[in-house]
Amino acid sequence: VRKGVSDIMMTFPPVMSAFEDRLRRQLKYHSNSVRSESKSEVCDAIEELTISHDHEKQRFEAVIGSLEVSILDEGEKVRSLQSQLNSAAAALEKEKNEHVALQTDLKADVDKTRSELREANKRTKSLDKLLESEKIQKKIELDDMDKKMKAELDDIDLKVKHSFKNLVEKKNKEIEK
């Protein structure tokens, strides 16, 4: 703009030189004044921006600091939870292994008990058969013994009757005599 105004003024005749000088001074003064005012406004704007920037920077730094603390806290929580999780997993694994071992032992005990039970059942059946056989044998023996005793008692009875008869006859003979 200034150059365009200067160019136009150069086209004026020399009579107007005083007017031109005055106009140039006013233009220069106005230009310096506008420049100074612009510098002042720019400085004010820069200062406001700097203050605003510093406030925003402080706010962001506070937020960042808070987030860093939160991240550290959360990291500690994650490590703590991971540690607890690892401990729980180890405890569960140990318990699982104990249960598997116990289950294996119980299965072995069950198999052993089943085998012993089968053997006991076989032995019980064998003893039942033996007992039944012995009962039958004892019954036969008792029947034989009863028959034998009855025969002996019958024989004794006959002998006693015969002896009694002989004694009665003998007594009768003595009485008759």
Side-chain angles (χ1 to χ4, degrees):
V1 172
R2 192 173 143 200
K3 187 175 183 223
V5 171
S6 293
D7 288 343
I8 292 172
M9 289 175 69
M10 293 299 255
T11 61
F12 291 133
V15 173
M16 300 178 117
S17 219
F19 179 72
E20 178 185 351
D21 284 339
R22 199 171 97 208
L23 212 76
R24 274 186 196 210
R25 278 186 297 229
Q26 282 180 351
L27 186 63
K28 192 172 186 180
Y29 173 76
H30 181 66
S31 176
N32 286 340
S33 174
V34 168
R35 191 176 286 149
S36 173
E37 196 176 305
S38 292
K39 280 183 185 179
S40 175
E41 286 178 3
V42 167
C43 284
D44 288 345
I46 288 174
E47 189 176 329
E48 284 181 28
L49 263 166
T50 303
I51 290 171
S52 176
H53 177 266
D54 288 345
H55 284 0
E56 286 296 312
K57 182 180 173 185
Q58 288 173 356
R59 190 176 66 79
F60 283 137
E61 285 174 349
V63 169
I64 288 170
S66 174
L67 289 174
E68 285 176 344
V69 168
S70 294
I71 288 170
L72 291 175
D73 288 346
E74 291 302 316
E76 284 299 316
K77 287 178 185 176
V78 166
R79 282 188 285 282
S80 174
L81 289 173
Q82 187 63 44
S83 174
Q84 291 174 2
L85 181 63
N86 290 342
S87 294
L92 283 173
E93 185 65 28
K94 181 182 176 186
E95 191 173 326
K96 177 187 165 197
N97 291 339
E98 288 172 355
H99 282 268
V100 167
L102 182 62
Q103 196 174 27
T104 302
D105 290 346
L106 287 174
K107 186 174 181 185
D109 288 348
V110 165
D111 290 343
K112 181 181 175 186
T113 303
R114 281 184 184 151
S115 176
E116 289 173 354
L117 185 59
R118 278 193 292 271
E119 286 298 318
N121 282 338
K122 285 180 184 177
R123 186 171 172 139
T124 301
K125 285 179 184 177
S126 173
L127 288 174
D128 285 344
K129 285 180 183 178
L130 183 62
L131 179 64
E132 195 59 38
S133 173
E134 284 184 15
K135 279 182 181 178
I136 292 170
Q137 185 64 33
K138 290 297 178 188
K139 186 174 181 188
I140 292 171
E141 286 177 11
L142 282 174
D143 287 346
D144 286 348
M145 201 183 285
D146 276 349
K147 286 179 186 175
K148 191 176 180 184
M149 283 175 60
K150 189 174 181 184
E152 285 178 10
L153 283 174
D154 286 345
D155 190 41
I156 290 173
D157 189 43
L158 275 175
K159 284 182 184 177
V160 167
K161 283 181 184 176
H162 185 62
S163 290
F164 191 69
K165 184 178 172 187
N166 283 341
L167 184 64
V168 169
E169 284 180 6
K170 192 175 181 188
K171 285 285 178 184
N172 279 336
K173 280 186 185 179
E174 277 179 21
I175 293 179
E176 280 182 14
K177 270 187 185 188

